[in-house]
Amino acid sequence: MQFKKQIILFLCLCSFAVKSQNTYKRWPDVIRKNDAAWFASAEAKKIADNVLLYQRDIGGWPKNIQMQEELTEKQKEDLIALKKTAVETTTDNGATCQEMLFMSRMYAQVKDERYAASFLKGLNYLLEAQYDNGGWPQFYPLKKGYYTHITYNDDSMVNILNVIKNVAEETDYYSIKPSKEIVEKCKKAFDKGVDCILKTQYKQNGILTAWCAQHDEITLQPANARAFELASLSGYESAKIVLLLMAIDKPSPEIVTAVKSAVAWFEKTKITNLEEKRVLNDAGKIIDKKMIPTQNAAPLWARFMDLESNEPFFCDRDGIKKKSIAEIGSERRNGYSWYTDAPKEALKKFPDWAVKNGTKVGAAEKKNVNFITVAQDGSGDFTKIQDAVYATPAFPYEKVTIYVKNGIYNEKVRIPEWNNNVILKGESKENTIITFDDNFSKIGLGRNSTFYTYTVLIEGDDCSVSNLTIKNASGDRGQAIALSVVANRVKVSNCNLLGNQDTLYLSGKEAKQYFKDCYIEGTTDFIFGGATVLFENCIIHSIKSSYITAASTPEGTAFGFVFKNCKITSNPEASQVYLGRPWRIYAKTVYIECELGKQIKPEGWENWSKPEAEKNSFYAEYNCKGEGSQTNKRVNWSHQLTKKEAVQYSIENILKDKITNWYFL
């Protein structure tokens, strides 16, 4: 009962409408007054007495209190009664850290030891509140619910670490100088806090990105807070985290990587086609917010971005994700900051920081080399994809993303061997199109002209391509490659590969490659080469009657072309289609649990006038379905796998690399 009464007293204090003098509108404005001498005034001393009253014995302060407002005698008595309770002590919304700054500024002018003791008590509170893993909760002592999460929200943990950093480094920022013992505690606390930051940086498909507003205090994973604050990547909170890391002298390689990765994410997620418009009433209060489409707008970032797609989202108090603020109610739309420009400060400081800390960003180079944007309208770093490739570092230690915005790019693109670790990613599969029209006759370089006809050529290992269309637009004019992959550990996902004869060439010494969720179309031998390749969940479409595959698998290779869970389709006029024929006599091609259309010939396979291929090649199927899956008329030199044999065709077995033990997951 007594505790309940204390809570009621506290709430009354937070909401009272006193007969007080509102000399200043906001408490933080008082703390940061430019006139240092003011802190020696009688007015400042009177406010300082209030601040001392609000501080609990545990050392912390409650939040959202206008401490400059005059207190009645009754209110002072109530605050004295609350001191021992530790009710609502927090670091949220700047609480405790800002009061400590006020006390420091007071002590710098007036050597009242109460101010120094208050500061040190606040510092001890911060040290006591830290988790063993280095993070801080929103409230301490711990308050049930999401308040126990490690809290970056509203810069809470960054504010704490900035206090502790100044104490640990014994700077002159604070006028109170703690003992050497406390300084050492602060050094350890700061290092633990930074370690927590590094461990909570979110990995998206294996790539470091940014941070959530709050992370689970046990698992360190992104966590929900209020109903409209779902786990997400934060465009706001991440900015101050990066600035804190950039302020560390002689950063470790892990800190450098964290900063570079976050900056790359900022570049990737910035919004330059929207502008916020605020509608105000006569009293100057916001009554509506609207996002207006605007060309070349100043960069903005969403406060909440999807953990996997980076797509901005917005929530009302029902916790349901929406795609725009227009879809949520006015109370949340107008009462919350959904967009921010906070990362621009980090982006501005990054180039000089990068040079100072020995990264690959040159002194005169202001672009982030880990994320390059291509856009035909000039809004990116380049208007041509090949120019972006030229700007990519040779043999980079980290992945380099070339993000291609929607448009039709009429060019040949080559990613050479020294540009490994490249991610070529389109804005959308349907509207990001790379096209060219070279063919065998047009190239005219002799019998090997086919290999020069590519629209896109990938020679760099460990590259990936996604979300775009690659097309050879020469039509049915002989050999004409759309995509040529002559590299190891290459992944192509969610792409359209369009052509006629020889659409897709796959090669490279002992190369392993992976195609997932792709649409691949062509005519004769439109998937050919000697690489080991797994096609998963793809649509393989024949334009006319001919051959789908022409493998040239090297002798002794365990796997060649493997199609799993693919759909084999065709144009109506393509009624006589072979699953494959051997370009070289040790060809291997297997279809597992695929849907084969009626266009597949009953024989299934053809020997390309190479009788020896019937003995040396390996063509097989397992558990396929559809009108073309009838096996009773297959050529007698092809195979139907047993269940035990089919088990060997796992992604791990097919794609494991001999040197790195690498495979796509």
Side-chain angles (χ1 to χ4, degrees):
M1 179 63 75
Q2 181 63 29
F3 181 76
K4 187 174 182 181
K5 287 180 179 179
Q6 292 169 339
I7 292 291
I8 294 171
L9 283 171
F10 173 74
L11 294 175
C12 290
L13 286 168
C14 290
S15 59
F16 66 83
V18 288
K19 309 161 184 174
S20 57
Q21 300 174 356
N22 287 304
T23 310
Y24 308 98
K25 288 185 177 180
R26 297 178 66 254
W27 167 232
D29 296 336
V30 179
I31 299 169
R32 290 166 178 81
K33 284 177 64 70
N34 291 327
D35 183 8
W38 176 85
F39 289 87
S41 69
E43 183 181 24
K45 293 176 184 177
K46 190 173 183 180
I47 294 173
D49 287 340
N50 288 357
V51 178
L52 289 169
L53 280 172
Y54 275 106
Q55 187 179 25
R56 308 291 190 257
D57 288 346
I58 196 174
W61 281 265
K63 67 177 179 178
N64 300 335
I65 306 294
Q66 300 305 319
M67 297 192 182
Q68 76 279 16
E69 294 183 342
E70 187 173 340
L71 296 172
T72 66
E73 289 304 314
K74 178 65 168 63
Q75 290 162 350
K76 291 177 182 178
E77 291 175 7
D78 292 340
L79 282 171
I80 291 171
L82 283 171
K83 272 188 167 294
K84 295 180 180 180
T85 67
V87 172
E88 297 293 310
T89 49
T90 182
T91 56
D92 191 34
N93 289 2
T96 300
C97 294
Q98 61 186 4
E99 284 76 40
M100 290 174 64
L101 176 59
F102 180 80
M103 285 305 176
S104 170
R105 299 200 72 182
M106 289 297 301
Y107 190 73
Q109 302 299 320
V110 181
K111 292 298 185 278
D112 186 328
E113 293 305 319
R114 294 181 304 159
Y115 304 153
S118 174
F119 176 90
L120 293 173
K121 192 184 293 185
L123 182 59
N124 184 68
Y125 170 80
L126 298 181
L127 294 172
E128 288 286 335
Q130 188 178 28
Y131 285 130
D132 289 340
N133 61 23
W136 272 269
Q138 189 176 122
F139 284 82
Y140 183 79
L142 295 178
K143 184 178 176 180
K144 291 182 180 180
Y146 66 84
Y147 305 104
T148 61
H149 293 328
I150 293 168
T151 305
Y152 298 124
N153 189 52
D154 292 328
D155 304 324
S156 176
M157 186 162 147
V158 170
N159 291 338
I160 296 169
L161 285 170
N162 277 323
V163 172
I164 290 174
K165 181 175 185 290
N166 277 284
V167 175
E169 295 176 355
E170 300 182 89
T171 71
D172 292 328
Y173 186 77
Y174 293 111
S175 62
I176 296 103
K177 304 303 177 187
S179 66
K180 290 295 182 183
E181 180 184 1
I182 293 176
V183 168
E184 288 303 313
K185 284 184 178 180
C186 287
K187 289 179 180 178
K188 293 177 181 178
F190 183 78
D191 289 343
K192 284 172 62 178
V194 170
D195 184 60
C196 180
I197 287 174
L198 297 178
K199 287 178 179 176
T200 51
Q201 188 172 18
Y202 187 72
K203 277 190 175 183
Q204 193 179 80
N205 297 321
I207 305 297
L208 287 171
T209 57
W211 291 263
C212 183
Q214 50 278 320
H215 289 252
D216 185 275
E217 65 274 20
I218 305 299
T219 67
L220 305 185
Q221 293 303 304
N224 295 339
R226 290 177 287 185
F228 54 90
E229 295 174 324
L230 302 182
S232 61
L233 292 172
S234 170
Y236 176 78
E237 278 79 10
S238 298
K240 288 293 178 65
I241 293 172
V242 171
L243 288 170
L244 173 71
L245 295 178
M246 291 172 71
I248 296 173
D249 190 37
K250 297 179 181 178
S252 67
E254 291 78 13
I255 293 173
V256 171
T257 297
V259 171
K260 290 173 66 178
S261 300
V263 166
W265 184 82
F266 287 148
E267 290 284 3
K268 181 178 182 179
T269 57
K270 66 183 178 183
I271 300 165
T272 57
N273 62 351
L274 287 177
E275 191 172 67
E276 184 181 89
K277 180 181 179 181
R278 297 185 174 188
V279 181
L280 308 178
N281 62 15
D282 293 340
K285 182 179 179 181
I286 299 172
I287 58 174
D288 200 11
K289 288 180 184 177
K290 297 180 179 179
M291 300 307 296
I292 309 299
T294 307
Q295 286 189 347
N296 299 318
L300 288 174
W301 287 262
R303 184 78 175 262
F304 298 89
M305 288 180 247
D306 186 87
L307 290 168
E308 300 309 321
S309 69
N310 297 318
E311 183 178 1
F313 68 84
F314 312 86
C315 281
D316 225 321
R317 292 188 183 275
D318 57 9
I320 299 173
K321 288 184 180 181
K322 305 293 184 182
K323 291 189 176 182
S324 73
I325 63 170
E327 298 179 66
I328 61 176
S330 60
E331 186 265 336
R332 281 297 81 200
R333 181 170 69 250
N334 304 322
Y336 200 80
S337 298
W338 295 103
Y339 288 92
T340 181
D341 64 356
K344 70 179 183 181
E345 186 179 355
L347 293 180
K348 183 179 179 181
K349 292 182 176 181
F350 175 72
D352 291 336
W353 176 91
V355 172
K356 177 182 176 182
N357 291 288
T359 74
K360 291 181 179 295
V361 178
E365 186 181 357
K366 299 299 181 182
K367 296 188 183 297
N368 169 34
V369 296
N370 288 327
F371 192 91
I372 302 171
T373 302
V374 180
Q376 290 182 325
D377 61 5
S379 62
D381 302 305
F382 300 95
T383 58
K384 290 185 177 295
I385 300 169
Q386 190 62 56
D387 288 341
V389 175
Y390 291 150
T392 301
F395 304 111
Y397 292 105
E398 300 172 18
K399 292 284 187 182
V400 178
T401 298
I402 298 176
Y403 180 71
V404 186
K405 291 189 176 181
N406 287 339
I408 299 175
Y409 297 83
N410 191 5
E411 58 176 308
K412 287 173 79 77
V413 176
R414 178 193 176 207
I415 301 176
E417 177 259 346
W418 51 87
N419 289 133
N420 62 324
N421 275 320
V422 167
I423 298 171
L424 180 63
K425 183 176 183 179
E427 184 176 357
S428 71
K429 177 174 66 175
E430 296 77 15
N431 298 311
T432 307
I433 302 169
I434 310 172
T435 181
F436 210 74
D437 61 356
D438 272 346
N439 57 59
F440 187 98
S441 299
K442 184 177 178 181
I443 290 292
L445 293 174
R447 65 186 301 168
N448 294 312
S449 294
T450 301
F451 304 102
Y452 297 93
T453 63
Y454 63 85
T455 298
V456 174
L457 169 62
I458 299 175
E459 297 171 316
D461 292 343
D462 303 298
C463 289
S464 67
V465 180
S466 62
N467 298 346
L468 48 77
T469 292
I470 300 173
K471 181 178 182 179
N472 189 307
S474 64
D476 195 7
R477 297 181 180 177
Q479 297 97 320
I481 296 171
L483 174 62
S484 178
V485 183
V486 290
N488 196 13
R489 300 182 299 274
V490 172
K491 179 179 181 180
V492 180
S493 59
N494 195 40
C495 286
N496 293 324
L497 307 176
L498 311 179
N500 279 266
Q501 184 174 350
D502 293 354
T503 302
L504 178 60
Y505 176 55
L506 306 166
S507 189
K509 186 177 181 180
E510 297 185 342
K512 303 291 182 74
Q513 300 156 8
Y514 182 38
F515 286 70
K516 189 175 189 296
D517 301 325
C518 291
Y519 174 88
I520 307 168
E521 74 169 23
T523 57
T524 304
D525 305 331
F526 63 94
I527 301 174
F528 71 114
T532 294
V533 188
L534 173 60
F535 298 85
E536 198 164 36
N537 303 325
C538 294
I539 296 175
I540 311 298
H541 187 82
S542 295
I543 295 175
K544 67 179 185 180
S545 296
S546 196
Y547 309 89
I548 296 174
T549 65
S552 56
T553 316
E555 182 179 6
T557 302
F559 305 96
F561 294 165
V562 180
F563 297 83
K564 294 185 75 173
N565 299 306
C566 292
K567 190 172 183 178
I568 314 303
T569 63
S570 70
N571 285 354
E573 61 269 30
S575 59
Q576 303 288 315
V577 176
Y578 288 93
L579 294 171
R581 62 177 181 172
W583 184 17
R584 294 293 181 266
I585 63 171
Y586 294 99
K588 289 187 175 182
T589 303
V590 177
Y591 291 78
I592 296 175
E593 296 183 332
C594 293
E595 182 178 339
L596 308 182
K598 64 181 180 180
Q599 76 278 6
I600 301 301
K601 289 176 68 65
E603 312 86 287
W605 312 91
E606 209 267 353
N607 69 6
W608 208 338
S609 300
K610 299 170 183 172
E612 65 273 35
E614 296 184 9
K615 298 178 182 179
N616 297 298
S617 64
F618 186 83
Y619 287 139
E621 300 159 73
Y622 174 76
N623 201 29
C624 291
K625 61 183 179 179
E627 292 182 68
S629 66
Q630 304 304 314
T631 61
N632 57 338
K633 292 186 179 180
R634 289 290 191 258
V635 294
N636 59 16
W637 45 275
S638 68
H639 304 269
Q640 294 299 315
L641 299 178
T642 65
K643 184 176 182 180
K644 183 177 180 181
E645 290 171 331
V647 169
Q648 299 303 311
Y649 287 78
S650 66
I651 188 170
E652 294 88 351
N653 288 343
I654 297 168
L655 296 179
K656 185 174 289 186
D657 185 76
K658 290 183 179 179
I659 298 175
T660 65
N661 279 330
W662 169 99
Y663 56 86
F664 286 113
L665 294 177

